[in-house]
């Protein structure tokens, strides 16, 4: 065998798996079809979208709130080209960082399309058409996902776009129609709403971010309305038509009412699908399920014992940090260790502003499960730091077991909650009670006090920070 491990795909799951394998003494190779390492996350997902989210928030604040801080800006102009350029620079820095880590850990990198020859052999076809075969004792599939679509909304990458194209538009849309008000739609919709676009969300479900706790969706919608966004919930899109200089979206609501919207761009953000195209899984004795996923056991092994799969190509949430945890898990499993992942405690984040973050059970899940629980909330508007920073939208909601006081779920919307949620993860990892967090000292004034106060509220004690 040429290698101990071959990793197919260099996204967060793949490159982290490769690094951990190398750290554990395995001779490791990684295969990436694109010229830059890092996968969707670094190139056309997590990182570039956060760069644009940050830039657009700076622009929006300069236009709407700087004056209240005593900062006057005359003749402020948007240089959207520079905003895109900065985003690309950030991406370049990150992908070069991954390349550095591959070299540092002596991981052999192959740029080309990888496909199975058999259960131990992978063919790599480079962009110039040259082919070579490499073999390994173990293979990790980490090929990620691609944007989904439906026949009624074909993506043409011109007027009808996916998240990939939304990150490099040549202009700020006058009217952006967003199909899907989930995480990706909310984030990219907020970018362009802040930059002055009219944004209309058409969503099949009855709320924004429908997979999260319902309180979060309601609160996020309130904040998005302040940006001028319109919402059409419980609507099924029946057709999307590119008319050259515009796009027309037609939909029907759950009562039979018809909707027609016309804009200059339509962003289709209806989820993502596992990407296994061209892998030739059958040559390795593998297949996918009805949703295109590769089946794995609790050790993330496929039905072929030396082949593992991680990240978006398997069950579970499509999150970069979930893939990272699985990459480490598989590397350590191959090395004979006994790693552990608690999937309930992998947090989810929406990087709008205010941000949304959550870990554990939603209130709806606890009700469905029949779990006795108590809830405590604390609003950001009662928080000194939020007042000082003029970021008063949002709240923290803590769900604790009614009998044991163990924290079962934490749901946050507000400034910096993407970072704050880590405290909740730590608390829940050690099975802390709400009272445990409530009696811990939190620096004042900070945003994290909202978590402490929500925990106190869940215990039945009076909130102290109002």
């Amino acid at each position: 065998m040429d290698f101990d491990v071959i990793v197919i795909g260099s996204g967060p799951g793949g490159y982290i798996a490769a690094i951990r394998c190398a750290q554990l003494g395995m001779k490791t190779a990684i295969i990436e079809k694109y010229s830059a390492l890092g996968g969707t996350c670094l190139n056309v997902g997590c990182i570039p979208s956060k760069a644009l989210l940050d830039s657009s928030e700076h622009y929006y604040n300069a236009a709407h709130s700087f004056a209240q801080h005593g900062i006057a800006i005359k003749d402020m102009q948007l240089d959207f080209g520079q905003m895109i350029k900065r985003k690309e620079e950030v991406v370049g820095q990150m992908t070069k960082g991954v390349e550095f880590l591959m070299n540092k850990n002596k991981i052999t990198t192959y740029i080309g399309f990888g496909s199975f020859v058999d259960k131990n052999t992978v063919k790599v076809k480079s962009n110039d058409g040259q082919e070579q075969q490499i073999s390994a004792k173990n293979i990790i599939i980490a090929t990620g996902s691609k944007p989904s679509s439906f026949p009624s909304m074909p993506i043409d990458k011109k007027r009808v776009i996916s998240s990939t194209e939304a990150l490099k538009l040549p202009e700020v849309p006058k009217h952006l129609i967003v199909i899907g008000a989930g995480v990706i739609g909310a984030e990219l919709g907020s970018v362009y709403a802040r930059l002055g676009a009219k944004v209309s969300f058409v969503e099949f479900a009855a709320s924004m971010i429908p997979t999260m706790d319902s309180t979060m969706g309601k609160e996020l919608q309130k904040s998005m309305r302040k940006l001028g966004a319109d919402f059409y919930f419980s609507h099924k899109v029946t057709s999307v038509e590119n008319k050259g200089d515009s796009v027309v979206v037609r939909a029907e609501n759950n009562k039979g009412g018809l909707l027609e919207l016309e804009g200059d761009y339509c962003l289709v953000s209806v989820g993502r699908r596992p990407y296994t195209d061209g892998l030739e899984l059958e040559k390795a004795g593998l297949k996918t399920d009805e949703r295109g996923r590769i089946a794995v056991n609790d050790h993330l092994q496929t039905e072929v014992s030396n082949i593992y799969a991680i990240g978006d190509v398997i069950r579970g949430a499509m999150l970069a940090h979930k893939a990272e945890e699985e990459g480490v898990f598989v590397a350590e499993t191959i090395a004979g260790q006994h790693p552990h992942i608690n999937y309930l405690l992998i947090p989810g984040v929406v990087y709008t502003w205010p941000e949304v973050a959550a870990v554990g059970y939603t209130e709806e899940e606890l009700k469905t499960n029949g779990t006795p629980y108590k809830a405590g909330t604390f609003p950001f508007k009662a928080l000194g730091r939020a007042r000082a920073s003029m970021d008063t939208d949002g709240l923290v909601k803590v769900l604790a077991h009614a009998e044991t006081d163990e924290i079962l779920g934490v749901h946050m919307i507000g400034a910096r909650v993407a970072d704050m949620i880590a405290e909740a993860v730590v608390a829940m990892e050690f099975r802390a009670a709400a009272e445990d967090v409530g009696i811990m000292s939190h620096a004042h004034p900070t945003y994290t006090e909202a978590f402490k106060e929500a925990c106190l509220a869940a215990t039945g004690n009076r909130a102290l920070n109002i």
Side-chain angles (χ1 to χ4, degrees):
M1 299 290 177
D2 300 315
F3 297 95
D4 295 312
V5 178
I6 294 172
V7 182
I8 306 176
S10 72
Y15 81 75
I16 292 293
I19 290 171
R20 189 64 182 130
C21 286
Q23 289 174 340
L24 292 169
M26 293 175 241
K27 186 179 180 183
T28 306
I30 192 165
I31 302 170
E32 172 54 53
K33 64 179 287 191
Y34 295 111
S35 57
L37 302 179
T40 292
C41 179
L42 269 65
N43 288 279
V44 291
C46 321
I47 300 304
S49 63
K50 304 313 164 282
L52 286 183
L53 281 158
D54 198 61
S55 293
S56 64
E57 181 65 12
H58 285 309
Y59 174 81
Y60 184 82
N61 287 338
H64 293 87
S65 65
F66 273 21
Q68 291 175 270
H69 288 281
I71 304 169
I73 301 177
K74 294 183 179 180
D75 302 320
M76 189 181 79
Q77 295 181 346
L78 171 65
D79 187 345
F80 188 58
Q82 171 59 29
M83 200 171 281
I84 296 295
K85 180 183 176 183
R86 188 193 83 89
K87 179 264 298 183
E88 292 171 348
E89 290 172 350
V90 171
V91 169
Q93 292 162 3
M94 294 296 294
T95 57
K96 284 183 174 62
V98 175
E99 184 179 344
F100 167 80
L101 290 172
M102 296 301 102
N103 293 331
K104 178 183 177 183
N105 288 280
K106 297 179 174 56
I107 297 164
T108 304
T109 301
Y110 293 88
I111 299 300
F113 194 95
S115 60
F116 282 98
V117 175
D118 57 43
K119 69 183 184 69
N120 292 104
T121 310
V122 177
K123 177 177 68 177
V124 183
K125 184 176 181 179
S126 62
N127 293 332
D128 61 8
Q130 294 186 12
E131 296 182 0
Q132 59 181 315
Q133 293 187 6
I134 55 176
S135 61
K137 299 172 186 175
N138 299 282
I139 296 174
I140 303 173
I141 301 171
T143 48
S145 61
K146 293 285 186 182
S148 293
S149 186
F150 294 105
S152 61
M153 52 189 85
I155 295 171
D156 59 28
K157 300 185 179 182
K158 296 176 182 177
R159 292 290 171 185
V160 185
I161 60 174
S162 71
S163 56
T164 301
E165 293 76 47
L167 294 168
K168 54 182 180 181
L169 286 178
E171 61 191 352
V172 175
K174 297 179 181 66
H175 183 194
L176 175 65
I177 303 167
V178 182
I179 301 176
V183 176
I184 296 171
E187 289 183 355
L188 292 174
S190 72
V191 166
Y192 288 106
R194 293 171 190 163
L195 298 179
K198 175 66 180 177
V199 177
S200 298
F201 290 95
V202 183
E203 168 60 52
F204 183 77
S207 68
M208 292 193 77
I209 49 174
T211 59
M212 301 186 80
D213 189 278
S214 62
T215 300
M216 299 298 103
K218 293 172 185 174
E219 293 297 320
L220 181 58
Q221 185 183 351
K222 290 179 188 176
S223 295
M224 293 290 288
R225 282 198 184 281
K226 295 178 183 178
L227 298 176
D230 288 336
F231 298 89
Y232 302 91
F233 295 121
S234 303
H235 275 74
K236 178 183 179 181
V237 173
T238 55
S239 70
V240 177
E241 181 184 1
N242 182 342
K243 302 193 103 179
D245 293 330
S246 66
V247 59
V248 175
V249 174
R250 298 179 181 88
E252 182 178 343
N253 66 23
N254 54 4
K255 297 180 181 177
L258 302 179
L259 171 71
E260 182 173 301
L261 297 172
E262 185 168 4
D264 41 351
Y265 292 94
C266 173
L267 167 60
V268 178
S269 55
V270 293
R272 299 180 65 84
R273 64 173 181 85
Y275 182 66
T276 58
D277 303 11
L279 265 182
E280 300 194 60
L281 294 171
E282 66 282 356
K283 291 185 178 179
L286 297 173
K287 59 182 181 298
T288 58
D289 65 13
E290 71 282 353
R291 296 176 60 181
R293 301 173 302 188
I294 299 172
V296 292
N297 62 18
D298 290 342
H299 301 292
L300 301 184
Q301 284 175 301
T302 67
E303 54 190 321
V304 179
S305 62
N306 72 303
I307 301 177
Y308 298 78
I310 62 174
D312 292 2
V313 294
I314 66 170
R315 62 181 183 244
M318 291 185 172
L319 297 170
H321 45 287
K322 179 245 193 190
E324 290 176 348
E325 296 300 320
E326 290 174 337
V328 172
F329 181 97
V330 166
E332 294 179 351
T333 297
I334 293 171
Q337 299 180 14
H338 302 282
H340 171 71
I341 298 175
N342 185 344
Y343 283 97
L344 180 65
L345 300 188
I346 292 178
V349 177
V350 188
Y351 294 89
T352 47
W353 197 265
E355 296 171 332
V356 185
V359 64
Y361 294 106
T362 66
E363 190 164 2
E364 292 75 22
E365 287 172 333
L366 293 177
K367 288 178 180 177
T368 299
N369 296 340
T371 304
Y373 72 94
K374 52 190 178 180
T377 62
F378 191 83
F380 267 50
K381 65 183 179 182
L383 205 59
R385 182 61 188 273
R387 283 286 176 192
S389 302
M390 294 175 62
D391 280 314
T392 55
D393 283 358
L395 57 87
V396 175
K397 175 179 179 179
V398 172
L399 304 170
H401 197 283
E403 298 163 2
T404 67
D405 198 39
E406 181 181 350
I407 299 172
L408 303 176
V410 178
H411 307 276
M412 304 176 170
I413 177 168
R416 305 186 188 179
V417 299
D419 301 301
M420 287 168 55
I421 198 65
E423 182 183 1
V425 175
V426 172
M428 293 176 69
E429 192 70 63
F430 288 92
R431 303 193 67 175
E435 184 181 25
D436 293 331
V437 176
I439 63 176
M440 290 179 188
S441 176
H442 287 63
H444 176 77
T446 57
Y447 290 103
T448 58
E449 288 178 287
F451 181 40
K452 171 189 173 86
E453 298 293 344
C455 285
L456 284 172
T459 65
N461 292 324
R462 181 176 61 84
L464 303 175
N465 199 45
I466 294 177

